[in-house]
Amino acid sequence: MPGNGTTAGDDPLQTAVWRLRSRACWADAAALLPPDTPATGLQRAALLVERCLYTERGWEDAEDALRTAEALAHTDEERGAAACERGQLAYTATLHGVRDRADEARAALGRAAALIPPGAPGRALLDFRRGLIAENLTRSPQAARAAYRRAHAGATAHADPLLLSFTWRHLAGLALRDGELTEARHGFAESLRIREELGYLVGTAPALASLADAETEPEASRLREEARRLFRLLGGVPTWLARQLTPPAPGVATA
């Protein structure tokens, strides 16, 4: 979802929603939004889908909010945005091993692509999510890179800094896999910079950990320790970061 509440001049409600979201309080943020308009219904669904990604819980709440958003959608772009969230929820369930919904994820994002016109603000997020499926489910880094680049260009055109922080990070991850350390460090550093500037606290620990993977010692250890501090501060969110931040047991060699 776009980085609502991250820019000066936003209304007080969106600012409050952003502050709660950025501190891993997705349910509290969603509770502030009236569920009876297409825009707020979709935003509530997006918040609760994001909670599933970061916490691996809240699946039923996300499904309920998503059904409401789908029922409220009237225009093609609204229907496309709801389909994009449906695809993200199915992708997240598959990624976390809750249930294999990969076909549902692809079909939903395909519907979204048919409904959201090229150049529309929601197209960049859709491209990014299609990149996630290509990278993590299809295992096609070339297709993922192309999708991330389209998303990056769209996020730049529509001034969506939060989405840019994601595209920088995932492009950098692909560069790291290819051994392009300079490119990877630059992308990870840009992602971290944006998240710190936005105050996106829940996304800062993953950004720190990713940059650590591309750095040498002692900087890598410093970055990981800072990531652990934020991870503990947020009560172990995102859950999947625990594996990346767990120090090796004494006496265990690491590659």
Side-chain angles (χ1 to χ4, degrees), residues 193-205:
R193 177 187 63 79
I194 292 169
R195 292 180 180 194
E196 288 179 335
E197 288 179 356
L198 294 176
Y200 189 52
L201 194 62
V202 72
T204 300

Side-chain angles (χ1 to χ4, degrees), residues 19-236:
R19 286 174 177 167
L20 288 166
R21 175 193 177 192
S22 65
R23 288 158 177 77
C25 301
W26 294 278
D28 291 338
L32 295 178
L33 295 164
D36 54 355
T37 72
T40 55
L42 180 65
Q43 192 179 359
R44 288 182 78 254
L47 285 165
L48 296 175
V49 169
E50 186 174 80
R51 179 175 69 162
C52 294
L53 177 65
Y54 279 82
T55 68
E56 301 180 55
R57 59 185 177 84
W59 303 97
E60 285 304 316
D61 289 343
E63 289 282 1
D64 289 345
L66 191 48
R67 282 191 288 269
T68 298
E70 288 167 337
L72 288 168
H74 298 303
T75 69
D76 280 353
E77 285 200 45
E78 289 167 355
R79 293 187 186 97
C84 189
E85 292 304 326
R86 170 67 64 189
Q88 177 69 0
L89 184 60
Y91 161 78
T92 299
T94 307
L95 185 72
H96 286 317
V98 176
R99 184 157 59 91
D100 186 351
R101 297 172 60 180
D103 289 344
E104 181 187 350
R106 293 187 184 95
L109 294 188
R111 286 197 305 275
L115 291 164
I116 303 173
R123 191 76 185 201
L125 180 62
L126 171 60
D127 284 333
F128 174 70
R129 288 174 171 174
R130 296 180 97 176
L132 291 176
I133 287 180
E135 180 180 4
N136 297 315
L137 301 188
T138 310
R139 307 296 179 186
S140 175
Q142 284 188 320
R145 183 178 288 106
Y148 292 150
R149 284 176 174 163
R150 290 194 302 272
H152 193 86
T156 300
H158 292 285
D160 188 342
L162 184 59
L163 182 54
L164 274 175
S165 81
F166 282 92
T167 55
W168 273 122
R169 182 165 172 259
H170 282 265
L171 285 167
L174 293 176
L176 185 62
R177 286 186 188 183
D178 291 341
E180 301 290 343
L181 284 178
T182 300
E183 183 180 343
R185 285 193 195 103
H186 175 69
F188 288 140
E190 282 296 296
S191 177
L192 176 60
R193 177 187 63 79
I194 292 169
R195 292 180 180 194
E196 288 179 335
E197 288 179 356
L198 294 176
Y200 189 52
L201 194 62
V202 72
T204 300
L208 286 162
S210 292
L211 181 57
D213 289 342
E215 286 287 0
T216 55
E217 296 296 350
E219 180 66 6
S221 290
R222 185 193 70 77
L223 290 165
R224 287 194 185 93
E225 187 52 42
E226 179 64 10
R228 287 187 196 102
R229 185 187 70 81
L230 287 174
F231 179 71
R232 290 191 296 266
L233 179 67
L234 291 172

